[in-house]
Amino acid sequence: MSEVNGKNGGAKPVLWMVIPCYNEEKVLPLTAPIFLKKLQQLAGGGKISDSSRILFVNDGSGDSTWEIISSLAGQDPHYLGISQSRNRGHQNAVLAGLMEAMDRCDITISIDCDGQDSIDAMDEMVDAYWAGNEVVYGVRSKREKDSWFKRTTAESFYKLMNTLGAEVVYNHADYRLISAKVLKHFAEFGEVNIFLRGLIPLVGFRSTSVYYERTERLAGESHYPLRKMLALAFNGITSLSVKPISIITGLGMGVSALGLVIAVWAIAKAILGETVAGWASTLCVVCLLGGIQLISLGVIGLYVGKTYMEAKHRPRYIISERTWEPAERHWLEEKE
Ligand code: UDP
Ligand code: MG
């Protein structure tokens, strides 16, 4: 895929930027030229190939987003567009773009189309790729421009995810570089509910982070209200972890232990004759049954959780290198 750069013998990777767009007619005309400028600057600096592309993914927009994308594609061959048959949400739009790009490029960078993520972080991402990383996460160092509400809910989102066993890179959204090599392995993850932030780290390979400051939208409004963010968090947790089920089992054990203590106390009270008839036996039954029921639910849940994980048919191993294969890795190619 990559062209050979006659000057230094190193291969210049073909980059595809993948940009999901949902009802973005206000912002797209402002940001599209910014993406193109960055692409040309990276190509001019010899970091990427001239045949790199900007791929817009229209996520079933109801406004003129697709017309804008089509007209951009007519204006400059670097712009390309695909359109989903209906709105499927941000994660699926990014996935569609990445899968479309996978066989046609060496590296992808996914970025939102609203100009919130600093475009200049792309230079560092490409440098990190040249240094041997296959995945580079864009991490927000500060979110001062976000409202207090957005910042607090977003930061709690990452904390909740990690507490419940879905390990995600803190303050990293979907601005990241992924090599085509990693994407080809990722394509083997056959699950339908995708949470890219949690799944890409599962593929493995060498990765690093670059830091940038998140700014305000250049135009238009956010399509990620609290409702969608909570849905994303729950989807992420339940896709990646069965920890909530273990919490139920633990709770059941705790309640059972407490039940036992209360039962002993109730029996003691009954023996001492300090109770009305039937009180102690009723209390014992309620406490013990409550505990047993919760433990049973947890145990059933563990099996259901296992079935769920098995049903995903994720690859059981991924091999990154073999000694008998020639090293394809671009970073081994010495620059003169
Ligand atoms: N987006 C999408 N489908 C949706 C919602 C959003 O493709 O159903 C895109 C949107 O056009 C933008 C990105 O996902 O490029 C992030 O959305 P937004 O900026 O509204 O979210 P926020 O940055 O406020 O969290
Ligand atoms: Mg945004």
Side-chain angles (χ1 to χ4, degrees):
M1 203 81 54
S2 15
E3 325 172 324
V4 170
N5 176 357
K7 236 177 174 180
N8 57 26
K12 284 197 281 182
V14 174
L15 163 72
W16 275 43
M17 293 182 194
V18 172
I19 305 166
C21 311
Y22 175 58
N23 289 346
E24 300 286 13
E25 62 182 8
K26 285 203 185 113
V27 83
L28 207 50
L30 303 176
T31 50
I34 301 178
F35 294 127
L36 183 59
K37 205 171 137 212
K38 180 49 75 183
L39 192 109
Q40 287 165 338
Q41 184 209 321
L42 285 166
K47 288 185 180 179
I48 59 167
S49 155
D50 290 328
S51 42
S52 297
R53 293 285 179 270
I54 297 162
L55 176 67
F56 295 107
V57 184
N58 174 36
D59 186 19
S61 301
D63 64 0
S64 64
T65 300
W66 181 239
E67 284 70 33
I68 296 171
I69 294 173
S70 307
S71 110
L72 285 168
Q75 284 163 30
D76 191 300
H78 290 101
Y79 291 125
L80 299 173
I82 53 172
S83 189
Q84 295 215 90
S85 57
R86 66 179 177 91
N87 179 247
R88 292 294 308 268
H90 172 229
Q91 296 289 298
N92 290 73
V94 177
L95 177 76
L98 293 177
M99 291 297 114
E100 199 74 17
M102 184 172 76
D103 295 320
R104 300 181 171 101
C105 66
D106 300 301
I107 45 176
T108 59
I109 295 182
S110 51
I111 182 168
D112 292 351
C113 73
D114 55 9
Q116 284 197 284
D117 300 312
S118 156
I119 186 97
D120 292 327
M122 283 197 191
D123 295 71
E124 276 182 70
M125 288 187 178
V126 174
D127 287 344
Y129 171 75
W130 275 97
N133 294 286
E134 300 283 344
V135 181
V136 188
Y137 301 103
V139 176
R140 296 158 184 178
S141 55
K142 281 190 216 152
R143 321 182 53 123
E144 277 163 7
K145 296 279 161 55
D146 279 340
S147 68
W148 175 87
F149 183 73
K150 174 88 194 179
R151 194 169 59 233
T152 318
T153 48
E155 288 180 350
S156 320
F157 166 93
Y158 293 101
K159 286 185 186 138
L160 178 74
M161 298 280 304
N162 281 319
T163 316
L164 289 179
E167 281 171 29
V168 289
V169 180
Y170 190 71
N171 259 340
H172 156 68
D174 285 291
Y175 184 18
R176 74 175 88 73
L177 178 149
I178 314 175
S179 72
K181 181 174 163 182
V182 168
L183 282 175
K184 281 174 191 154
H185 288 294
F186 174 62
E188 289 169 30
F189 285 59
E191 53 207 86
V192 178
N193 287 302
I194 47 149
F195 180 65
L196 293 167
R197 277 170 241 187
L199 288 175
I200 297 294
L202 292 185
V203 184
F205 293 90
R206 209 169 130 184
S207 67
T208 186
S209 300
V210 301
Y211 297 86
Y212 68 94
E213 279 181 38
R214 183 172 158 98
T215 51
E216 281 166 49
R217 256 181 174 269
L218 291 183
E221 272 153 30
S222 169
H223 306 288
Y224 254 104
L226 185 62
R227 176 180 56 80
K228 272 198 190 172
M229 210 151 74
L230 280 177
L232 185 70
F234 286 123
N235 182 25
I237 293 161
T238 50
S239 295
L240 293 165
S241 147
V242 286
K243 207 164 171 182
I245 299 174
S246 314
I247 293 176
I248 297 178
T249 319
L251 200 68
M253 289 180 178
V255 170
S256 298
L258 195 70
L260 204 67
V261 172
I262 296 178
V264 170
W265 170 71
I267 292 168
K269 284 270 193 193
I271 292 171
L272 292 174
E274 290 174 11
T275 61
V276 286
W279 175 81
S281 52
T282 314
L283 201 65
C284 288
V285 170
V286 169
C287 291
L288 289 176
L289 266 187
I292 289 169
Q293 275 172 347
L294 268 182
I295 292 182
S296 312
L297 260 184
V299 171
I300 295 171
L302 288 178
Y303 284 101
V304 174
K306 276 233 160 94
T307 316
Y308 175 56
M309 287 298 175
E310 290 289 342
K312 288 177 193 283
H313 291 297
R314 283 183 188 164
R316 280 171 295 180
Y317 56 85
I318 292 172
I319 292 166
S320 65
E321 270 133 311
R322 293 183 174 86
T323 54
W324 64 88
E325 275 179 359
E328 284 173 70
R329 294 178 306 170
H330 48 88
W331 64 89
L332 288 180
E333 289 165 21
E334 282 293 314
K335 283 196 171 186
E336 279 165 14

